[in-house]
Amino acid sequence: MRPLSSLLPASLFVLASGALAQALPYPQAEPLSTVQVTAQRSVWLRDDHARQIAGYYAMSNGWQLKVRPSARFIDATIDGQPPLRLLHVAPDKFVSSDGNVTMEFNRGEAGDEMSMRYVPDPRLAQVVVISSKMAQR
């Protein structure tokens, strides 16, 4: 009877973790009240590369992501939230100036997938990873 008694808490934990994934907070633009110096250096974003990543993405958790590229950064807007400015630091990799949000593009076999990692609360040791496919250009 003991294995059955441990099965109930384990199944409740699995259900709770699934519900938590849907209730995650949006990544936040860096707060204006703090000053932070980072060593991230941006690199130029070629026009052809900018055209490849620009557009709308359907995130795996239901969010909609709009990517607008510029010469050295992208502005990423999720579900009408304030845009996040991410610097182009390596081929297909963009990072926020505070380092809390990272997006990698041109993933997958067809190169139409992206991955976003972010820290929902800097006070906690937690990183959220969300994947996506290109929805439309």
Side-chain angles (χ1 to χ4, degrees):
M1 201 65 173
R2 186 172 174 109
L4 291 176
S5 65
S6 64
L7 185 60
L8 180 62
S11 62
L12 290 176
F13 176 73
V14 170
L15 289 174
S17 65
L20 177 65
Q22 295 299 322
L24 291 171
Y26 290 106
Q28 297 297 311
E30 46 197 278
L32 298 176
S33 62
T34 62
V35 175
Q36 186 169 7
V37 178
T38 61
Q40 294 282 350
R41 292 183 53 111
S42 65
V43 294
W44 286 101
L45 182 60
R46 295 186 334 258
D47 288 339
D48 60 329
H49 190 224
R51 280 191 298 275
Q52 287 178 344
I53 64 172
Y56 291 87
Y57 292 83
M59 307 294 283
S60 61
N61 65 349
W63 294 349
Q64 296 295 315
L65 170 69
K66 179 182 178 184
V67 175
R68 289 188 341 245
S70 183
R72 289 189 180 260
F73 59 86
I74 61 170
D75 282 330
T77 305
I78 302 171
D79 288 346
Q81 296 292 310
L84 302 166
R85 181 153 290 176
L86 305 171
L87 300 173
H88 184 217
V89 295
D92 299 322
K93 186 173 184 177
F94 296 82
V95 178
S96 64
S97 61
D98 62 0
N100 286 338
V101 181
T102 302
M103 291 185 185
E104 293 185 44
F105 293 88
N106 294 324
R107 299 176 58 118
E109 290 181 24
D112 63 345
E113 297 177 26
M114 65 84 64
S115 173
M116 178 176 75
R117 297 171 189 262
Y118 74 97
V119 178
D121 186 347
R123 298 171 294 174
L124 302 175
Q126 179 183 16
V127 175
V128 176
V129 179
I130 302 172
S131 61
S132 175
K133 281 198 171 243
M134 174 68 81
Q136 86 182 64
R137 295 211 188 268

